[in-house]
Amino acid sequence: MSKKEKKTIFQILLVSSNTLLSRVLGLSRDMLFYAVFGVSAYADAFIIAFTIPNLFRRLLGEGALTSALIPVLSDELEEKGKQEAFRLLNAALTRTFLALLAIITFACVILMILYSFHIGPDRWALGEKFSIMLMPYMLLICLAALIGASLNTLHRFTAASLGPVWLNLSMLFSLGVLGYYFGEGIHEKTIFLCCGVLFGGFLQMTIPAYFLFKQGWKPAFTLAKSDALNKIWLLFLPGVTGAAVLQINVFISRGLAFYLDESTVSILFLANRLTELPLGLFSIAVMTVIFPVLARKVSQNDTKGFAVAYEKGIFLILLITIPASVGLYILGEKILLLLFQQGAFTVTNVNATVSVLKIYAIGLPFYSLAGFSTKGFHALKDMKSPVKISCFVVLLNIALSLILMKPLGMNGLALANVIAAVIQSGWLLYKLHQKLQLSHGGLPLFETARMIIASGAMATSVILLSPACMQFLEEYCQGKMQLGLTIGTTIAIAVFVYFFVLKLLGSQFIKIAKKSG
């Protein structure tokens, strides 16, 4: 294995490790959140308020704008050097700052008007109030995403990947310490939590900025124009259309959930968060590291190298998400009981969440494939193809949600989302296959079949071992300790079975992983 290949594997593992820390803290944050708020009007109101700036983060920060910035920034680095790349970054940051300031001001005015008229149930007024408080987070997190993307382009992944850690620590401290000791009642606790989000966003922006400063970047307010900036704009416009469609879809889905009752948003959010744990641990790490590689291959006109990196990225994602999907489906109820059944979050709430979690677990590999394939198009500076697909998929998701939510409730909303993800991932793979002449759309079919068989063997071992572990441990411990040891032991054995069966089937997973750079 060459030094370059070792470096890529190391970077993926580094980002995965940082993401693991973030997800563990995120789980702790969610456990505390649900223990304090349960599935209440305050929980739903905060989640909706937190959703709005995060939609813009995905729309502008980590979505279309960074996808447009990284390929052009890679070109500037290759052709003109680091200082010209930093000038381009400052121009992009300035325009993003001004645009977000205008959006935040407009949104706060609208929310204040809605709040003053008290239209709808009380939880709507709470959502409007907390949304006004959290609007500045939109500015902080979007600027942080651009700064982090620039560090990734320079192959500096640590500072940006640690961003969610600072947010989670801040939210834990604000709710678990300040809210606990100084918050009188659930309302004041929510106010402290909102303050924690804002401080966490400040840390997410300033810490990566410091490390970029050490790379030679000097922040500057500039409205200077350039050809490179025009390229970003031309890539951004179609990209933001597709991203906007997807984020509007998320907002509509949560709005429909908010309409159903005062617990559905909280349950869907929790199930989605648990699904994002394996997604974030590896899939997002692969995307974070491989995307600049893909952009660099395009800058170097290395079509073959792009295809190889893309196919190996798909392989690495499937290697983890297929067994993770199976494991989450089988062990979801036990995980919920272990982590969340406490305080205001009751066994009834756990039972209501299990079915939604199982539906989301089925969609896990498809969410990952759709996300990575979209990044492939963005690296090729083709923003239009994902937009066209996204528009259809969003309309399909909304239609299915309206059809299924009445007979199936929250399960219908989750099922509609998964069906849309399956269609989106398949369509994106097919289109990229046409564009790059990849075999089977870049999907390693024989290796995927081996992963499915190995996951089946793993599932069998989990189903057989889990009750046996519970029974064996009854003599030594009870309650959550017994449950935790059962889950830990079962997962450890399941991982061994999965990779052992892969090896027996002749999988080349180790060889392919090494060649992923």
Side-chain angles (χ1 to χ4, degrees):
M1 183 164 52
S2 68
K3 290 183 179 180
K4 186 177 177 182
E5 290 169 345
K6 288 180 180 178
K7 185 178 180 181
T8 301
I9 294 295
F10 173 76
Q11 288 167 341
I12 291 174
L13 292 174
L14 178 64
V15 174
S16 295
S17 300
N18 292 339
T19 306
L20 173 61
L21 175 60
S22 167
R23 298 295 173 174
V24 169
L25 290 171
L27 272 178
S28 302
R29 180 196 82 188
D30 292 340
M31 289 164 62
L32 177 63
F33 177 85
Y34 282 96
V36 172
F37 297 107
V39 287
S40 63
Y42 274 89
D44 278 14
F46 175 81
I47 290 169
I48 287 291
F50 194 43
T51 295
I52 295 173
N54 275 296
L55 291 181
F56 277 88
R57 169 179 63 84
R58 291 171 181 170
L59 176 65
L60 297 176
E62 297 173 359
L65 191 51
T66 53
S67 293
L69 176 68
I70 287 178
V72 180
L73 207 60
S74 295
D75 289 346
E76 290 291 290
L77 282 170
E78 285 285 330
E79 297 169 9
K80 300 178 182 178
K82 190 181 286 187
Q83 291 309 311
E84 286 300 317
F86 287 150
R87 288 191 185 95
L88 174 61
L89 172 63
N90 283 331
L93 285 170
T94 300
R95 285 160 175 78
T96 303
F97 172 82
L98 294 173
L100 287 171
L101 197 60
I103 292 169
I104 291 168
T105 303
F106 177 76
C108 285
V109 170
I110 296 298
L111 287 166
M112 286 177 184
I113 293 171
L114 291 173
Y115 182 74
S116 65
F117 283 102
H118 297 288
I119 300 171
D122 289 343
R123 68 179 184 275
W124 291 18
L126 288 173
E128 290 153 6
K129 179 179 180 179
F130 298 143
S131 294
I132 293 168
M133 288 191 64
L134 291 180
M135 275 296 160
Y137 178 67
M138 181 195 304
L139 177 65
L140 298 170
I141 192 60
C142 287
L143 295 180
L146 289 182
I147 293 168
S150 303
L151 282 169
N152 291 345
T153 305
L154 295 170
H155 302 288
R156 300 291 187 273
F157 297 98
T158 303
S161 63
L162 283 173
V165 170
W166 314 130
L167 174 66
N168 290 328
L169 285 173
S170 180
M171 292 176 71
L172 280 166
F173 181 78
S174 64
L175 182 59
V177 179
L178 298 179
Y180 180 80
Y181 287 105
F182 302 106
E184 295 184 4
I186 194 169
H187 188 86
E188 288 191 9
K189 285 180 170 61
T190 312
I191 299 296
F192 275 111
L193 182 57
C194 289
C195 293
V197 171
L198 295 177
F199 184 69
F202 174 77
L203 294 177
Q204 284 181 285
M205 181 184 70
T206 54
I207 292 174
Y210 168 75
F211 284 98
L212 191 61
F213 184 80
K214 290 183 69 175
Q215 292 294 315
W217 171 64
K218 294 181 179 178
F221 186 92
T222 175
L223 294 172
K225 298 180 180 179
S226 67
D227 290 338
L229 197 62
N230 291 334
K231 290 178 183 178
I232 292 177
W233 181 248
L234 290 173
L235 292 173
F236 172 71
L237 282 177
V240 78
T241 304
V245 169
L246 289 173
Q247 298 316 313
I248 289 169
N249 178 43
V250 172
F251 193 71
I252 289 173
S253 293
R254 290 198 177 166
L256 291 172
F258 205 47
Y259 170 79
L260 280 175
D261 54 52
E262 65 178 34
S263 64
T264 300
V265 171
S266 301
I267 289 172
L268 287 172
F269 180 79
L270 175 57
N272 186 59
R273 288 282 296 170
L274 285 174
T275 308
E276 285 181 349
L277 179 60
L279 182 68
L281 285 179
F282 202 79
S283 297
I284 293 175
V286 171
M287 294 182 212
T288 301
V289 174
I290 298 294
F291 182 43
V293 174
L294 295 176
R296 187 173 68 249
K297 297 296 183 184
V298 172
S299 298
Q300 297 168 347
N301 294 317
D302 185 2
T303 304
K304 183 179 179 181
F306 179 97
V308 169
Y310 173 77
E311 287 184 323
K312 301 311 180 283
I314 288 286
F315 170 84
L316 289 170
I317 285 173
L318 291 176
L319 183 68
I320 300 300
T321 58
I322 290 176
S325 173
V326 174
L328 191 59
Y329 186 93
I330 297 171
L331 294 174
E333 183 176 5
K334 286 185 173 61
I335 293 171
L336 283 167
L337 286 169
L338 174 66
L339 298 179
F340 293 97
Q341 194 267 301
Q342 57 192 326
F345 198 80
T346 65
V347 174
T348 303
N349 301 142
V350 169
N351 294 334
T353 308
V354 168
S355 59
V356 177
L357 178 59
K358 287 185 175 183
I359 294 170
Y360 278 143
I362 294 170
L364 177 57
F366 303 100
Y367 297 136
S368 302
L369 287 174
F372 187 70
S373 297
T374 299
K375 289 293 186 183
F377 279 104
H378 290 172
L380 290 166
K381 301 175 186 172
D382 177 2
M383 309 301 230
K384 293 181 180 179
S385 296
V387 169
K388 293 175 183 176
I389 295 170
S390 296
C391 288
F392 174 82
V393 168
V394 164
L395 291 174
L396 175 65
N397 186 35
I398 293 171
L400 288 172
S401 296
L402 292 171
I403 293 168
L404 297 174
M405 66 183 285
K406 187 173 182 180
L408 300 176
M410 68 181 80
N411 290 332
L413 294 175
L415 183 59
N417 189 263
V418 170
I419 293 171
V422 172
I423 292 172
Q424 183 186 19
S425 60
W427 199 344
L428 285 167
L429 284 166
Y430 174 73
K431 291 293 289 185
L432 207 52
H433 161 233
Q434 288 185 319
K435 197 173 187 72
L436 289 175
Q437 302 296 310
L438 296 174
S439 59
H440 308 297
L443 191 66
L445 291 180
F446 289 109
E447 285 295 336
T448 303
R450 292 185 180 100
M451 293 174 201
I452 292 171
I453 294 169
S455 296
M458 182 196 78
T460 303
S461 69
V462 170
I463 292 169
L464 294 175
L465 284 171
S466 184
C469 284
M470 286 288 287
Q471 188 175 2
F472 175 77
L473 291 168
E474 277 182 353
E475 298 181 15
Y476 304 98
C477 57
Q478 296 291 327
K480 292 207 170 187
M481 181 177 290
Q482 178 191 15
L483 194 58
L485 288 172
T486 298
I487 293 171
T489 303
T490 304
I491 290 175
I493 295 173
V495 170
F496 172 79
V497 169
Y498 175 68
F499 284 103
F500 179 73
V501 174
L502 273 183
K503 194 67 177 175
L504 285 180
L505 293 172
S507 173
Q508 300 296 307
F509 64 91
I510 296 177
K511 181 179 179 181
I512 295 173
K514 287 180 178 180
K515 290 185 177 180
S516 62

